[in-house]
Amino acid sequence: MRVLVTGHRGYIGAILTPMLLREGHEVVGLDSDLYRACTFGDPDQLSDVPSQVKDLRDVERADLDGIDAIVHLAALSNDPLGDLDPELTFDINHRASVRLARLAKEAGVQRFVFSSSCSNYGAAGGDLLDETAALHPVTAYGRSKVLVERDVAELADDSFSPTYLRNATAYGVSPRLRFDIVLNNLVAWAFTTGRVMIKSDGTPWRPIVHIEDISRAFIAVLHAPRELVHDEAFNVGSTEENYQIRDLAGIVADVVPDCRVEFAPGASPDTRNYRVRCDKIKERLGFDLLWTARQGAVELLEAYRAVGLTLEDFEGPRYQRIAHVRSLLASGALGTDLRFTTPTPTPTAGVSA
């Protein structure tokens, strides 16, 4: 297929793009490159594919000519960033995503795979939830994902087939690494300070999944017969990979030498609390995970050691999405609409790091 990946230079996109290439697909990228200064390790890790540096809100019908499938990752990518300006979050994550889907349908794109989230379930408690469970998002980010699923579903017909992948909380090493997600964060705390710092009371549940497994799920949907995935939502993860935050902290303490678990001052319960059942994607697509949380913690530790990660790196804005955006706003590089104030590069045959 000729696959357009939005957000191809983000945390997940930087992993998914080379995997799609290895599967023999032709990949086209579209990314505002908001995190162009945030590459972790060797910048040559980023795949060189035909691409456009363009804000999702500015996509045109002509950008989608000749595309067979869209993998839509681009978004303001977590709860704190979504809460920076909730209306802007809805403008980008919801309205621009639905507009992209409408343009895709007009352009004859047959498959549209949307990167949704298990945060849709929100304040759900300890019950195991499948895809039929009620959605109770508690953040602007989660609500935006729910609205996209609702509105894109109205476009589904014989010519346009959307699928919604509700990813568990991601972890793992990427050229566009993030420290603002739970396992990456806990291992970084442990490595740089000798402490596994828990910012909640440790009781909330989270399903977690490696970004390589998320990428494999997108590929599995693209390869699946249409009737198995048409207008369907899938939880992406494993039922066995639901953890309370304190249990993840215990895994990290086992993996990282000479560290101890601590609670941050003022730690309190987190309203985001959910466990998910992932039987549907396994039974329908034969999909199962290759990674566990413990394996991911080992991978992260080795990566941090390899680059000599420091506390300054960890706490700085480079790998914290909200902190990086705030620094760009403060410098004037971004306007309040989160568009770069200087012209972006023109489309290229390939993007170099």
Side-chain angles (χ1 to χ4, degrees):
M1 295 182 185
R2 190 165 190 252
V3 182
L4 173 68
V5 179
T6 71
H8 73 294
R9 305 196 83 191
Y11 177 56
I12 296 172
I15 296 297
L16 174 59
T17 296
M19 292 177 67
L20 285 167
L21 293 172
R22 287 195 294 271
E23 290 289 332
H25 297 291
E26 180 184 352
V27 179
V28 178
L30 187 143
D31 199 309
S32 68
D33 215 9
L34 188 59
Y35 305 110
R36 62 186 64 170
C38 303
T39 303
F40 179 80
D42 183 359
D44 290 336
Q45 298 173 87
L46 290 166
S47 295
D48 186 20
V49 297
S51 62
Q52 288 199 73
V53 180
K54 178 175 279 195
D55 191 290
L56 181 64
R57 293 166 287 183
D58 300 329
V59 172
E60 301 171 13
R61 161 73 172 70
D63 296 328
L64 309 180
D65 286 344
I67 298 296
D68 300 310
I70 293 175
V71 172
H72 181 34
L73 305 175
L76 296 180
S77 57
N78 64 3
D79 293 325
L81 186 54
D83 290 339
L84 177 69
D85 183 335
E87 187 57 31
L88 194 56
T89 297
F90 290 117
D91 191 31
I92 296 171
N93 289 12
H94 171 218
R95 288 184 281 271
S97 294
V98 176
R99 177 175 172 273
L100 174 68
R102 290 197 181 105
L103 290 173
K105 183 173 180 177
E106 291 174 12
V109 177
Q110 296 182 3
R111 294 282 187 99
F112 187 89
V113 191
F114 174 58
S115 186
S116 192
S117 173
C118 282
S119 67
N120 293 7
Y121 300 114
D127 294 336
L128 278 168
L129 306 175
D130 66 14
E131 292 83 352
T132 65
L135 305 179
H136 299 291
V138 296
T139 63
Y141 172 80
R143 290 191 291 274
S144 73
K145 296 291 188 179
V146 171
L147 291 172
V148 173
E149 287 193 25
R150 181 198 70 185
D151 293 349
V152 172
E154 295 179 359
L155 303 175
D157 61 16
D158 290 343
S159 66
F160 184 71
S161 185
T163 306
Y164 325 101
L165 294 189
R166 295 176 182 167
N167 304 316
T169 300
Y171 67 87
V173 177
S174 165
R176 288 285 166 87
L177 189 66
R178 294 172 54 187
F179 289 144
D180 52 9
I181 40 184
V182 60
L183 190 60
N184 297 8
N185 181 275
L186 293 175
V187 177
W189 269 115
F191 178 70
T192 59
T193 70
R195 297 172 293 153
V196 187
M197 187 65 68
I198 303 179
K199 297 181 180 180
S200 71
D201 66 356
T203 61
W205 284 93
R206 286 288 190 286
I208 67 171
V209 61
H210 196 285
I211 49 177
E212 287 187 9
D213 284 324
I214 292 175
S215 299
R216 290 177 53 246
F218 278 99
I219 292 169
V221 167
L222 290 175
H223 290 182
R226 183 182 185 278
E227 61 270 17
L228 296 183
V229 298
H230 176 71
D231 199 26
E232 294 280 352
F234 295 93
N235 292 337
V236 178
S238 170
T239 306
E240 291 71 33
E241 288 290 295
N242 288 283
Y243 296 91
Q244 288 182 290
I245 300 301
R246 63 192 179 200
D247 296 328
L248 287 175
I251 290 172
V252 172
D254 287 343
V255 168
V256 181
D258 303 319
C259 69
R260 64 187 184 277
V261 176
E262 291 186 4
F263 290 87
S268 60
D270 189 334
T271 56
R272 298 168 300 167
N273 180 33
Y274 48 90
R275 301 166 68 202
V276 300
R277 189 179 298 279
C278 301
D279 298 343
K280 180 179 176 180
I281 193 169
K282 183 175 183 177
E283 293 169 358
R284 191 168 298 194
L285 303 183
F287 177 84
D288 211 345
L289 303 189
L290 297 180
W291 288 82
T292 65
R294 182 172 296 273
Q295 291 169 326
V298 171
E299 180 205 32
L300 288 160
L301 175 61
E302 291 174 349
Y304 299 164
R305 280 175 173 161
V307 301
L309 183 71
T310 66
L311 182 61
E312 182 180 7
D313 292 331
F314 169 49
E315 292 188 325
R318 189 174 186 184
Y319 305 116
Q320 308 272 1
R321 293 299 191 245
I322 183 66
H324 178 68
V325 170
R326 287 189 186 279
S327 70
L328 291 175
L329 287 167
S331 71
L334 278 185
T336 56
D337 60 355
L338 299 191
R339 298 178 190 271
F340 281 104
T341 55
T342 56
T344 56
T346 56
T348 61
V351 173
S352 62

